[in-house]
Amino acid sequence: MPMPRALFVAPLLLTLFGLGSAPLSSEPHPDPAAARLPPLVTEGGAHAAALLAHRVSSAPYDTYRLAGPGIRRSDRFRAGSITKTFVATVVLQLVGEHRLRLSDPVERLLPGLVHGNGSDGRRITLRALLGHTSGLYDYTADPSAHPLSATAALHVALAHRPTNTPGHYAYSNTDYAVLGLVIRKVTGHSYAAEIRHRVLTPLRLTGTSLPGARTSLPSPHGRGYTRDPADGSLRDTTSIDPRTAGAAGELISTLDDLNRFYAALLGGRLLAPAQQAALLNTRASHGVYGLGIYPQKLSCGLTVWGHNGRIAGSHVRTAATRDGGHTLTYRVDTDASADSEALGTALVDAEFCEASPPSRPGP
């Protein structure tokens, strides 16, 4: 499972469903797993978290739960690397339109751009970029670099030797910076414009946006916090320059929109069958990652699909069943959580295994 970088600090325990739980007025049935969901770990003054679950099967329900002050269901928040699933969807749609092929080498599309210090665009395909098997160094691993464009991010990456040889899995934000450039080359439009046209507008995801250079969050929104590495203090990072994240992580969204997006994607509404199969193919990563999405096998044998996202002031996780009929998104108003990966595993496991009987396990 990919683990985006973050600052780790000592936790303060809060219980997600013990504080201010609030079912939706339209909820046909209460969430049977709510009382059994595990505690949520957050920090210091950044103590707000929320979870939204939705199911459309034989026992449908919507459930919203929250912990801590200053957070609402309608809030816009930074979704970090969940951006990658949106970018991958656009690339796969272009493949379905025969404007791209997954076997296309980067060199054919962006001649001369990915070359040097051991990296060779002739050996890196679009499939490798989508599935993090390109070997390209992750530009966010260089703490001295704060690139404000995809080409600048690529220059940072190419200043380092590859993390792995092409064909071996290694999560790298550089892969999606390059994919953003590929989308512009093929369509003549930015990846943000293509996401709006192909995904946001058709699905009516009105709370989702790609801010570009805009540093503020759209209203309504809460606050976001991170830990200052210099003195360990908690500081407000609600306003940041998202250009460093770019196609790897600039997305702003809501709980409802993320659930709706993954339900549509996994439900087959955005991709043709061949591209849908490619999306969920994890062979190249030995089961770790598909193309912009990854699986999580739960304790009850069910496999869910989704992505996590971590960016300054925000940690998010979305998971859904393979048919998109049961979705879960939770968010925390800080990226400074020492054990957020374990928390995410526990929350997802409790929701899907306790709330419904196990269905046929995924691949």
Side-chain angles (χ1 to χ4, degrees):
M1 178 184 304
M3 295 181 63
R5 291 168 173 79
L7 305 173
F8 297 139
V9 298
L12 167 68
L13 195 63
L14 285 176
T15 305
L16 179 57
F17 292 94
L19 296 177
S21 63
L24 305 183
S25 59
S26 60
E27 179 182 324
H29 296 81
D31 181 350
R36 293 184 291 276
L37 279 163
L40 174 66
V41 178
T42 65
E43 285 68 37
H47 52 68
L51 179 150
L52 180 65
H54 179 71
R55 189 172 69 179
V56 295
S57 63
S58 56
Y61 63 77
D62 281 294
T63 299
Y64 172 62
R65 297 288 186 265
L66 60 88
I71 196 166
R72 294 154 295 192
R73 175 174 174 169
S74 58
D75 278 350
R76 274 67 168 166
F77 52 82
R78 302 188 191 279
S81 286
I82 286 177
T83 309
K84 293 180 174 67
T85 314
F86 286 75
V87 171
T89 299
V90 170
V91 172
L92 288 169
Q93 287 181 347
L94 291 169
V95 170
E97 295 164 9
H98 306 292
R99 300 170 72 180
L100 288 172
R101 295 174 298 179
L102 290 176
S103 59
D104 283 339
V106 174
E107 179 66 18
R108 188 180 79 79
L109 299 161
L110 302 170
L113 191 62
V114 182
H115 183 75
N117 209 14
S119 296
D120 185 351
R122 296 171 300 179
R123 301 176 58 202
I124 299 172
T125 65
L126 293 187
R127 188 188 298 275
L129 294 174
L130 288 163
H132 296 298
T133 59
S134 72
L136 290 172
Y137 178 86
D138 183 352
Y139 72 91
T140 66
D142 185 337
S144 66
H146 302 281
L148 297 180
S149 70
T151 52
L154 184 57
H155 290 157
V156 171
L158 294 176
H160 298 267
R161 297 287 300 175
T163 304
N164 275 322
T165 56
H168 294 80
Y169 174 79
Y171 190 89
S172 175
N173 289 292
T174 306
D175 292 333
Y176 279 74
V178 176
L179 286 168
L181 295 173
V182 167
I183 291 171
R184 178 178 285 279
K185 177 73 172 183
V186 172
T187 67
H189 306 123
S190 69
Y191 66 86
E194 289 295 319
I195 288 173
R196 284 191 290 267
H197 172 68
R198 295 170 175 270
V199 180
L200 305 189
T201 299
L203 296 182
R204 299 181 182 178
L205 304 183
T206 57
T208 302
S209 60
L210 294 112
R214 190 182 71 238
T215 60
S216 60
L217 285 169
S219 295
H221 66 82
R223 313 303 299 175
Y225 304 91
T226 197
R227 192 71 66 179
D228 192 322
D231 59 11
S233 63
L234 199 67
R235 59 186 176 88
D236 190 311
T237 50
T238 306
S239 294
I240 61 172
D241 192 329
R243 287 177 292 176
T244 297
E250 74 159 296
L251 193 81
I252 292 169
S253 195
T254 67
L255 297 171
D256 282 281
D257 276 10
L258 291 182
N259 277 351
R260 192 176 302 121
F261 166 67
Y262 280 95
L265 177 62
L266 290 162
R269 293 170 54 193
L270 294 173
L271 298 176
Q275 285 69 56
Q276 190 82 357
L279 175 80
L280 305 179
N281 188 332
T282 63
R283 285 196 298 270
S285 65
H286 301 285
V288 176
Y289 200 90
L291 302 185
I293 196 169
Y294 64 82
Q296 178 182 334
K297 189 169 184 179
L298 307 180
S299 64
C300 57
L302 179 70
T303 294
V304 293
W305 294 83
H307 215 287
N308 59 354
R310 187 178 293 171
I311 192 170
S314 182
H315 176 73
V316 187
R317 172 77 165 100
T318 298
T321 51
R322 185 165 177 169
D323 65 357
H326 187 177
T327 54
L328 163 74
T329 298
Y330 78 85
R331 58 164 294 221
V332 186
D333 70 350
T334 178
D335 61 305
S337 179
D339 47 7
S340 57
E341 295 301 324
L343 166 67
T345 298
L347 282 172
V348 171
D349 198 277
E351 168 62 26
F352 289 92
C353 289
E354 298 286 349
S356 58
S359 60
R360 180 178 63 84

